[in-house]
Amino acid sequence: MLQERLDDMVGSLSGYYESLPKVVKDRVKALKKLQVDFLKMEAKCHQEIHTIEVKYNEMYKTLMAKRAEIASGAYEPTPEECDFPSDTEDEEDDKKEAVEGGEPVSDKVKVENEEKMDTDTEKKDEANMKGIPEFWLTIFKNVPTIGENIQDYDEPVLKHLTDITIILADNPMSFTLEFHFSPNEFFTNSVLTKTYLLKNEVDEKDPFSYEGPEIKKPIGCKIDWNPGKSTTMRTVTKKQKHKTKGSIRTLTQDTPVDSFFNFFSPPEVPENEEELDDDARALIVADFELGELIRHRIVPRAVLYFTGEALLDDDEFDDDEDDDYQEEFESESSDEDGDEGDENAVEGSEPKKKSKNRMAKGEKPQECKQQ
């Protein structure tokens, strides 16, 4: 009789566990202790993985340094280094062969003369072109989550961005993004930094909340803007009239504005995260996600984001995932409602997927590097 009563409550959140006899609850407690041991072992695994990442990050530096030299124009790659298949170039060669094979000789000569003139002009322009112009600015503008934060007045500054490097540390577990800039009229810093301290501990009071390493707090840096060159502040001029004398005085006030460079002044998080309102929480989550995107995707695959190939791959993955989800949704509707269910699944609203974000604590900006 007891087993029959328990079977009726399986899968229900209406008190099944609470209704179990003590001897069964004790077994569940034993499983929870095992789960805590598993989580502690998992945390150790993540720590060792991070240590390996630190090792390989040092090995990556030679390749990344050469990438920076080519993009900036400090190094010109050899023909052998440039020997890489390009689908676009192959298509252009096929079109050229088709034109040469099908045009009359007179038209062919005319085309060749025009192409020679264009080529001469292009060669003159190419002679004055160094590296890959606007390499990082183009990458940032290609990535929607970053491009939407770049204002028109940010672009002249970002044209001086020559490289982004990553520093990984074991103690404390952290990663730092270093943004390297060529000498410019906007600020005196040669490097702007953004550090993310990571937390990889199983909380004794809430062990089951552990889901792997998470960002504990972001640390920005101070940008030494030259007078009148800041893109994060706008100087507003106001006039005030004296109430009795009638004289007028002019006041200037700096007002914060939207800018990509606000990335280096992350929002602070109070000790008690429950005090955060929805807007502040959204800003912090967006900051963490952007830092992880730059570290894990953009910096390692920079050239593919420059050409847009990485974005195509991301879109293809998302579309496939959405299609699979939609097919499953339609299949379930069909199983439950028959033909009518299929029609509703097509004409109805699309199912929504939830994303999971993590929180952390903030810290005041640190000084940027001078080199």
Side-chain angles (χ1 to χ4, degrees):
M1 292 177 61
L2 175 61
Q3 186 62 46
E4 289 178 358
R5 186 164 68 252
L6 295 177
D7 288 342
D8 292 338
M9 302 180 69
V10 170
S12 173
L13 298 178
S14 59
Y16 173 70
Y17 173 72
E18 288 75 10
S19 66
L20 292 172
K22 183 179 182 304
V23 64
V24 179
K25 288 183 177 179
D26 287 343
R27 293 168 191 153
V28 173
K29 291 180 180 179
L31 295 184
K32 286 187 175 182
K33 288 190 68 176
L34 289 175
Q35 182 66 29
V36 172
D37 292 339
F38 173 86
L39 294 175
K40 291 180 178 179
M41 193 176 297
E42 184 182 8
K44 184 178 179 181
C45 173
H46 283 297
Q47 181 64 57
E48 293 183 4
I49 291 174
H50 183 77
T51 300
I52 294 175
E53 289 180 334
V54 172
K55 171 186 173 182
Y56 275 87
N57 189 63
E58 291 296 317
M59 298 169 65
Y60 295 150
K61 285 184 177 180
T62 302
L63 297 175
M64 296 303 184
K66 194 166 189 177
R67 180 180 72 182
E69 290 179 346
I70 294 175
S72 65
Y75 173 79
E76 187 64 32
T78 65
E80 291 76 13
E81 291 173 323
C82 297
D83 185 15
F84 189 83
S86 172
D87 294 338
T88 303
E89 292 175 0
D90 292 342
E91 292 175 0
E92 291 176 352
D93 292 341
D94 292 341
K95 290 180 181 179
K96 185 176 180 181
E97 291 176 1
V99 171
E100 292 178 349
E103 283 189 347
V105 176
S106 58
D107 291 342
K108 178 180 177 182
V109 173
K110 183 178 179 180
V111 170
E112 288 178 348
N113 290 336
E114 291 176 351
E115 288 180 349
K116 185 177 183 300
M117 294 177 61
D118 293 339
T119 301
D120 292 339
T121 303
E122 289 177 1
K123 285 183 178 180
K124 292 180 181 179
D125 294 337
E126 290 174 359
N128 298 323
M129 185 180 296
K130 290 185 177 182
I132 305 175
E134 302 180 10
F135 181 70
W136 288 102
L137 174 58
T138 302
I139 291 171
F140 283 174
K141 292 174 70 174
N142 281 346
V143 181
T145 53
I146 298 179
E148 64 187 11
N149 293 318
I150 297 176
Q151 311 301 319
D152 291 340
Y153 41 80
D154 288 325
E155 293 192 18
V157 191
L158 289 172
K159 288 180 180 180
H160 291 276
L161 179 59
T162 60
D163 195 18
I164 301 177
T165 55
I166 300 174
I167 296 178
L168 298 181
D170 257 334
N171 189 20
M173 181 186 285
S174 65
F175 69 90
T176 298
L177 305 174
E178 293 186 333
F179 294 70
H180 300 258
F181 288 84
S182 60
N184 60 80
E185 61 180 300
F186 301 98
F187 48 71
T188 59
N189 310 88
S190 60
V191 181
L192 301 181
T193 62
K194 182 70 170 290
T195 298
Y196 291 92
L197 297 182
L198 304 178
K199 178 183 177 182
N200 185 44
E201 301 173 354
V202 177
D203 189 344
E204 295 295 339
K205 295 181 180 180
D206 186 17
F208 303 127
S209 63
Y210 178 79
E211 295 183 357
E214 59 183 304
I215 294 176
K216 183 179 180 181
K217 55 185 174 184
I219 305 173
C221 71
K222 180 178 179 295
I223 303 178
D224 297 321
W225 294 100
N226 289 324
K229 296 297 183 178
S230 174
T231 63
T232 62
M233 304 291 291
R234 178 180 300 167
T235 301
V236 179
T237 302
K238 294 183 179 181
K239 292 184 177 181
Q240 286 186 342
K241 184 177 182 181
H242 197 279
K243 292 183 179 179
T244 56
K245 297 181 180 180
S247 58
I248 298 176
R249 66 175 181 176
T250 302
L251 301 176
T252 58
Q253 181 179 0
D254 290 334
T255 304
V257 294
D258 292 336
S259 170
F260 166 82
F261 290 90
N262 289 328
F263 175 72
F264 299 98
S265 299
E268 295 186 6
V269 183
E271 291 295 330
N272 184 5
E273 295 176 1
E274 295 180 357
E275 297 177 2
L276 288 172
D277 57 32
D278 292 340
D279 292 339
R281 189 180 299 272
L283 287 174
I284 294 168
V285 170
D287 178 76
F288 295 166
E289 292 181 341
L290 185 55
E292 291 186 331
L293 174 65
I294 294 174
R295 175 198 171 184
H296 292 291
R297 299 286 299 176
I298 294 177
V299 172
R301 299 168 175 79
V303 65
L304 301 181
Y305 280 94
F306 177 80
T307 61
E309 294 168 82
L311 297 170
L312 294 175
D313 291 341
D314 291 345
D315 291 341
E316 182 178 351
F317 176 80
D318 292 340
D319 290 342
D320 291 342
E321 186 181 49
D322 291 342
D323 292 342
D324 293 342
Y325 191 91
Q326 181 68 16
E327 289 176 3
E328 181 180 353
F329 177 77
E330 292 177 0
S331 176
E332 291 177 356
S333 299
S334 175
D335 292 341
E336 294 176 1
D337 303 325
D339 295 338
E340 182 178 354
D342 288 339
E343 183 177 353
N344 292 336
V346 174
E347 297 180 357
S349 59
E350 296 182 359
K352 297 181 179 180
K353 293 181 288 182
K354 298 181 179 179
S355 60
K356 188 170 185 179
N357 298 319
R358 295 175 177 172
M359 291 293 301
K361 300 178 181 178
E363 185 172 300
K364 294 183 178 179
Q366 66 181 6
E367 292 295 325
C368 292
K369 295 184 179 179
Q370 297 287 346
Q371 294 183 348

